[in-house]
């Protein structure tokens, strides 16, 4: 079974977590795209969605799903999104698609975070996937030096500008045994907008696509 089939299956399974008549939070990436396409089939049954990126907003709108600004919404019953890595405590690395900041903001407002991922994303220790960090452009070199002091190898994702007009630094060579602490340390660096480490807001539900079918885990 290829990775796309697994992504499609978890995206389909996530539709069960969408409550009727409500506004839901929607993530970004190829797995989230499968979810958005599935959501199209039930668009009459939801009020609409808050998107975590311009790309997801365009895809939702293309399916005729009404978009809401997060400022219009006090709480979301559910946020559905993929991940680049997820560990046993449901802490995640996200931001492979450079949408980490809006993903973190939208998921912070959600009662439940449903992570949809193929089996390759489940890891013992986070860090093999380079950790994305969104940075104010002016602060790129300074933030890179500070990240190197934390033990990572920062690499500027050249040519990429986020939806918020910032740049991405991918941090290689990390072995993240204390995700909560690292997230806090990164947040302390002046010029960092957000890190792609989701430890303080981990997933609540993990739908994992495996060759044996979709496995469900709850925190
Ligand atoms: C985008 C993300 C995505 O959720 C993450 O990169 C996973 O992407 P995909 O579903 O394409 O494997 O964080 O910023």
């Amino acid at each position: 079974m290829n990775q796309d089939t697994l992504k499609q299956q978890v995206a389909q399974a996530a539709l069960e977590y969408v409550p009727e008549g409500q506004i839901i939070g929607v993530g970004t990436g190829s797995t989230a795209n499968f979810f958005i396409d599935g959501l199209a089939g039930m668009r009459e049954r939801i009020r609409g969605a808050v998107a975590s990126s311009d790309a997801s907003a365009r895809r939702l709108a293309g399916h005729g799903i009404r978009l809401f600004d997060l400022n219009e919404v006090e709480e979301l019953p559910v946020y559905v999104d993929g991940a680049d890595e997820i560990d046993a405590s449901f802490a995640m690395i996200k931001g492979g698609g450079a949408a980490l900041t809006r993903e973190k903001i939208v998921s912070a407002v959600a009662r439940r975070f449903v992570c949809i991922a193929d089996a390759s994303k489940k890891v013992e220790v986070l860090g093999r996937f380079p950790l994305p960090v969104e940075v104010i452009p002016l602060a790129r070199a300074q933030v890179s030096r500070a990240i190197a002091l934390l033990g990572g190898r920062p690499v500027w994702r050249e040519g990429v500008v986020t939806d918020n007009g910032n740049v991405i630094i991918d941090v290689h060579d990390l072995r993240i045994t204390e995700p909560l602490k690292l997230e806090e340390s990164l947040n302390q660096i002046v010029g960092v907008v957000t890190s792609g480490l989701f430890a303080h807001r981990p997933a609540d539900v993990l739908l994992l696509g495996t060759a044996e079918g979709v496995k469900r885990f709850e925190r």
Side-chain angles (χ1 to χ4, degrees):
M1 212 177 284
N2 71 28
Q3 207 181 7
D4 269 356
T5 309
L6 299 179
K7 289 181 179 190
Q8 224 162 350
Q9 286 180 353
V10 288
Q12 188 66 30
L15 295 174
E16 287 173 30
Y17 291 80
V18 176
E20 301 242 338
Q22 303 216 31
I23 302 167
I24 65 158
V26 175
T28 299
S30 56
T31 320
N33 280 346
F34 284 125
F35 174 71
I36 293 171
D37 295 346
L39 206 54
M42 56 179 293
R43 68 167 166 265
E44 309 301 341
R45 307 209 316 259
I46 59 168
R47 257 185 84 200
V50 175
S52 66
S53 64
D54 292 344
S56 290
R58 280 193 297 274
R59 200 174 185 99
L60 286 158
H63 286 308
I65 295 167
R66 185 169 169 203
L67 292 170
F68 286 82
D69 185 293
L70 189 63
N71 293 303
E72 300 175 80
V73 177
E74 213 164 291
E75 195 180 56
L76 297 165
V78 69
Y79 176 74
V80 179
D81 198 359
D84 298 303
E85 284 186 349
I86 181 161
D87 73 7
S89 70
F90 289 9
M92 294 166 284
I93 286 182
K94 292 186 46 53
L100 57 153
T101 298
R102 294 193 192 181
E103 291 174 341
K104 209 175 254 194
I105 294 169
V106 180
S107 65
V109 176
R111 280 204 297 279
R112 213 172 194 200
F113 188 138
V114 177
C115 176
I116 47 177
D118 65 86
S120 71
K121 309 290 184 64
K122 185 84 170 51
V123 298
E124 290 274 320
V125 178
L126 298 171
R128 190 196 292 266
F129 190 94
L131 175 65
V133 179
E134 180 162 353
V135 175
I136 300 286
L138 170 78
R140 179 169 54 80
Q142 168 210 325
V143 169
S144 296
R145 287 191 291 272
I147 284 173
L149 289 177
L150 291 177
R153 181 168 59 85
V155 177
W156 173 28
R157 205 185 293 179
E158 275 190 74
V160 171
V161 177
T162 70
D163 287 349
N164 314 306
N166 297 313
V167 298
I168 297 285
I169 293 172
D170 292 308
V171 189
H172 295 247
D173 301 342
L174 290 173
R175 194 178 141 76
I176 307 173
T177 50
E178 294 182 297
L180 288 164
K181 268 196 188 166
L182 181 61
E183 187 177 7
E184 284 159 21
S185 301
L186 289 167
N187 286 345
Q188 292 301 320
I189 301 173
V190 176
V192 165
V193 178
T194 329
S195 84
L197 196 49
F198 283 55
H200 284 272
R201 204 300 168 233
D204 300 299
V205 176
L206 168 61
L207 300 177
L208 197 67
T210 75
E212 297 81 47
V214 176
K215 295 191 176 161
R216 290 160 201 264
F217 303 91
E218 295 236 3
R219 196 157 57 87

